[in-house]
Amino acid sequence: MTKTLLITYFGPFPGVSVNPSGVTARQVADVLADESAVQVVTREIPVSYAGSSEALREMLTDIRPDAVLSLGVAVGRDKVSFEKVAINLDSADIEDNDGVVRVDEAIAPEGREAYFSTLPVRASYERLRGVGLPVEISYTAGTYVCNHVFYEAHRILERQGRRIPAGFVHIPATQVDHEPSDAQTTFTAHTDAGGVESESVPTLPEAVVARIVAELVRDTLKVM
């Protein structure tokens, strides 16, 4: 039986004029297009605390996916990060795209303190690292909209009484295949958004990032 995978991604936000998570989502869908075991549905989520919650609720209700993978960019990281935990906190110095700044606010005042990814994070990390791919397990998804979406996906699914694989992956800034990194979009790292501030911004080729995410999807299908 074919499973439906929902991949969400973000558009631009302060410091990121072109968000590479959208390209990655579409490339992963293309990589997996010929595989009968999965149908990939990609959707953009607004870079908005309130708007992302509403969008997620509608998507999870209307699409009823069998698994959910959310993608975001963490400028300054040099590996694809499989996020392990989402915390119940919004707190960032930068605005969301609605102009809202949240500092030390609970996402859900009566909600759990945290949710853990239900994707096969450890198994995929070990396998992909073993073949030399640039991956890592991360224990912080930041406290901006990426973490918010990670947390809310689990909270909404829990309220719907659904137990399906769900998690978040942060990708680094990417470069178009076969083009030098200095020809790419300029990025600004924000630690609140999971980024790493430094003098230079590491990049990975788009095809490498898409391959890693597609392999995580394949590992997820094995445990469903």
Side-chain angles (χ1 to χ4, degrees):
M1 172 183 275
T2 300
K3 302 292 186 180
T4 299
L5 168 70
L6 171 63
I7 300 182
T8 71
Y9 60 92
F10 293 107
F13 63 91
V16 178
S17 59
V18 177
N19 196 318
S21 64
V23 170
T24 298
R26 290 186 289 273
Q27 289 184 341
V28 172
D30 289 342
V31 169
L32 299 173
D34 295 330
E35 299 191 16
S36 59
V38 61
Q39 176 188 13
V40 179
V41 178
T42 61
R43 292 286 186 274
E44 182 174 339
I45 288 185
V47 184
S48 158
Y49 296 113
S52 63
S53 295
E54 181 180 353
L56 263 177
R57 193 174 299 108
E58 291 178 357
M59 291 175 194
L60 294 174
T61 299
D62 296 342
I63 298 170
R64 301 289 293 182
D66 298 294
V68 182
L69 172 59
S70 296
L71 300 176
V73 63
V75 177
R77 297 194 192 188
D78 60 0
K79 298 179 179 67
V80 175
S81 304
F82 298 162
E83 297 294 348
K84 186 70 175 177
V85 60
I87 62 173
N88 188 2
L89 181 68
D90 289 335
S91 190
D93 289 336
I94 56 174
E95 299 177 342
D96 71 4
N97 286 355
D98 294 331
V100 174
V101 174
R102 291 187 177 180
V103 177
D104 291 342
E105 292 187 29
I107 297 171
E110 304 302 321
R112 294 190 188 195
E113 291 184 355
Y115 288 100
F116 287 93
S117 174
T118 49
L119 301 176
V121 167
R122 175 61 61 178
S124 289
Y125 163 72
E126 296 288 358
R127 184 173 73 83
L128 298 177
R129 183 185 65 164
V131 295
L133 289 172
V135 294
E136 65 182 2
I137 295 176
S138 168
Y139 297 94
T140 175
T143 46
Y144 190 50
V145 183
C146 288
N147 174 76
H148 183 98
V149 164
F150 186 8
Y151 183 93
E152 280 287 72
H154 283 272
R155 189 174 77 92
I156 293 166
L157 287 167
E158 184 177 63
R159 290 170 68 90
Q160 292 179 346
R162 304 183 64 208
R163 297 177 61 86
I164 63 173
F168 197 98
V169 171
H170 263 127
I171 66 171
T174 60
Q175 65 190 62
V176 178
D177 298 340
H178 310 303
E179 288 189 12
S181 59
D182 60 5
Q184 310 303 312
T185 302
T186 300
F187 294 96
T188 301
H190 298 288
T191 55
D192 295 334
V196 178
E197 296 181 8
S198 64
E199 294 183 1
S200 62
V201 174
T203 61
L204 286 177
E206 290 177 345
V208 172
V209 173
R211 177 188 172 190
I212 290 170
V213 177
E215 290 298 321
L216 175 59
V217 172
R218 292 186 176 112
D219 287 342
T220 301
L221 292 172
K222 294 174 185 176
V223 300
M224 290 172 64

